[in-house]
Amino acid sequence: MKFSFLISSRILVTMLLSFLFFPTVTHATNGYLSNGYGMKSQGLAGVGVALPQDALAAGNNPAGTALVGDRIDFGLSWFMPERGTTITGSSVPGASGSYDGNYKKSFFIPEFGYTKQLSNATSIGVAVFGNGGLNIDYPRNPFAAYGSKGSASTDFVQLSLSPSVAWKPSEQHALGAAVNFIYQRFTANGLSAFDNPGTSAYPGSVTNRGADSSTGWGLRLGWIGQITPALSLGATWVSKVSATKFDKYKGLLADAGSFDVPENYGIGIAYKITPALTLVADVQEIRYSGVRSLANPLSNLTVQGNLLGSPNGGGFGWKDITVVKFGASYEYSKNLTLRGGYSCKGNPIPSDQNFFNIAAPAVVKDHLTFGSTWKTSSGAELSVAYVHAPKNTTNGRGSIPAALGGGDVKSFLEEDILGVAYGWKL
């Protein structure tokens, strides 16, 4: 037992260091939140509210900590986005044209989970994962014609560390809670066109300030119920996290650098059609409207005169989205499980907000996923997942304010993710 604990502790420390110091970790699927946590969930289009499968279960629903037993899982995903933008119809000389945001093309995302059953009724665990992120890098700056210098880029990383506890009041039901510790890192370059007293409440704190970090705490709650031998239902809620501010970028982000983590909640269902085939579905609501720096539209600046960085300062104009996920898991043999899924959602970025979102074109809407798990003769599990988010293009007609020369912005994003994970029961 002592030896096992020491190994687990060393793995956890290693994974934490990987997250904190791994360069260019990023992810962007449902806005900037991941579609699901754990490689098995990724193979099912992110479904996991009513179907816990590994030690990352608490990321989808902390009640799942009570249902996966004693285990360790760790994995790595290779994230490959394609993104860019086109400006047309601008009266600003040199602004119109196409801009490639793919200077950085590959990113790696580690994950780790550990669960331990303390008694028949009580279990504990910890899940460490990239909760989300955004990254784009334009060698040719789309804002150069407006006065910006150098290349343009934004890099936003968000790490979630969620220790959880789960309790089974009966054999059919599980309740769970997790503390949600968030670490964020943000960098912005090439936005000097907006770094002046006419557009920012804090000139000098808009761009090219290097990396800044932010932390915060929140709560995850969840329930999973075995309604019949074939039917499971689940529900989960994740509180908004009021994070500390990005002081270096208080002149860019609303409310002096505020960048909170949005509240989200969801329900799920898992139904065994046969002993080998399980159909699953989740519905998730993400409340981006509760985060000022994301929800405030750019018109707050250009029409109402609320400077960047002020409490009601112009922002990215994101709206709430609903995500619907479907999946199927098939136990082909005692050693091989196959998975597939599809998810769809609304675009968090209204087309009239495309201009400022040149720096964050998180516009993909659909995900097609495939995955499998091979159980070795020793009982260890090797899981793989592939996620494809087809290219989505938003045509922002009239999305550049007249005060900035008018015109249209068309942005696109396409994503591919290939992941592998290794886990075993203790």
Side-chain angles (χ1 to χ4, degrees):
M1 169 70 86
K2 183 177 180 181
F3 180 70
S4 175
F5 176 76
L6 288 174
I7 292 177
S8 307
S9 299
R10 288 175 181 174
I11 292 175
L12 175 58
V13 170
T14 300
M15 294 305 295
L16 284 172
L17 290 175
S18 296
F19 269 105
L20 292 175
F21 300 107
F22 209 100
T24 62
V25 174
T26 186
H27 207 216
T29 49
N30 295 330
Y32 78 82
L33 297 186
S34 176
N35 206 31
Y37 306 107
M39 211 59 63
K40 294 177 181 179
S41 173
Q42 286 287 343
L44 289 171
V47 173
V49 174
L51 185 68
Q53 301 176 85
D54 53 34
L56 274 295
N60 301 304
N61 184 346
T65 299
L67 303 174
V68 296
D70 300 349
R71 62 179 297 132
I72 289 177
D73 292 274
F74 59 93
L76 185 69
S77 294
W78 179 20
F79 178 54
M80 299 159 281
E82 290 284 335
R83 58 271 198 233
T85 195
T86 299
I87 296 176
T88 58
S90 174
S91 64
V92 176
S96 294
S98 295
Y99 300 88
D100 184 357
N102 297 300
Y103 182 73
K104 296 178 182 178
K105 298 182 178 180
S106 294
F107 308 89
F108 295 93
I109 310 156
E111 64 182 25
F112 171 77
Y114 170 72
T115 53
K116 174 66 178 176
Q117 188 171 331
L118 300 180
S119 69
N120 289 335
T122 306
S123 300
I124 59 173
V126 61
V128 188
F129 48 87
N131 192 45
L134 293 167
N135 176 286
I136 195 163
D137 198 328
Y138 295 97
R140 180 182 173 225
N141 194 332
F143 301 113
Y146 302 91
S148 287
K149 306 296 183 182
S151 62
S153 64
T154 57
D155 190 9
F156 173 66
V157 174
Q158 192 179 88
L159 160 72
S160 183
L161 170 64
S162 291
S164 60
V165 59
W167 175 59
K168 294 177 68 177
S170 70
E171 283 300 315
Q172 290 74 39
H173 297 276
L175 302 171
V179 175
N180 196 25
F181 172 74
I182 295 293
Y183 169 85
Q184 304 182 126
R185 190 178 69 221
F186 179 73
T187 306
N189 294 301
L191 305 179
S192 53
F194 308 101
D195 194 2
N196 59 76
T199 56
S200 175
Y202 302 97
S205 297
V206 174
T207 186
N208 297 77
R209 298 293 311 279
D212 199 2
S213 61
S214 167
T215 59
W217 296 86
L219 184 65
R220 295 175 180 265
L221 299 175
W223 162 79
I224 296 176
Q226 191 74 44
I227 308 305
T228 72
L231 175 65
S232 296
L233 300 178
T236 187
W237 169 76
V238 183
S239 72
K240 177 182 175 180
V241 176
S242 295
T244 58
K245 297 181 179 182
F246 290 115
D247 291 330
K248 290 183 179 180
Y249 295 96
K250 63 183 180 181
L252 174 64
L253 302 172
D255 198 17
S258 175
F259 204 100
D260 297 333
V261 184
E263 173 193 17
N264 67 88
Y265 47 86
I267 57 175
I269 182 172
Y271 189 76
K272 278 187 172 294
I273 301 295
T274 70
L277 177 62
T278 302
L279 300 183
V280 291
D282 285 355
V283 178
Q284 180 188 28
E285 182 79 7
I286 304 175
R287 303 295 303 276
Y288 286 119
S289 62
V291 181
R292 286 185 179 181
S293 51
L294 282 174
N296 288 357
L298 185 58
S299 61
N300 281 19
L301 167 66
T302 57
V303 177
Q304 300 177 23
N306 294 295
L307 299 179
L308 298 176
S310 65
N312 292 314
F316 297 92
W318 285 25
K319 61 182 182 180
D320 297 343
I321 60 172
T322 300
V323 188
V324 182
K325 313 172 188 179
F326 304 96
S329 176
Y330 180 66
E331 190 175 326
Y332 180 80
S333 70
K334 66 178 183 179
N335 297 108
L336 179 63
T337 300
L338 304 175
R339 302 181 184 88
Y342 167 75
S343 72
C344 58
K345 65 176 181 64
N347 182 357
I349 303 173
S351 60
D352 62 354
Q353 298 298 312
N354 272 11
F355 180 67
F356 219 40
N357 281 286
I358 287 173
V363 297
V364 293
K365 299 174 66 175
D366 304 307
H367 297 83
L368 297 171
T369 71
F370 303 93
S372 66
T373 295
W374 175 258
K375 185 177 293 184
T376 68
S377 58
S378 64
E381 299 171 358
L382 180 65
S383 298
V384 296
Y386 171 67
V387 180
H388 176 65
K391 181 178 179 179
N392 186 51
T393 301
T394 59
N395 295 296
R397 301 190 183 281
S399 52
I400 304 179
L404 296 172
D408 307 333
V409 174
K410 181 170 67 174
S411 296
F412 75 88
L413 178 63
E414 180 179 356
E415 299 173 347
D416 288 285
I417 304 170
L418 181 62
V420 60
Y422 187 76
W424 64 93
K425 291 186 177 182
L426 300 174

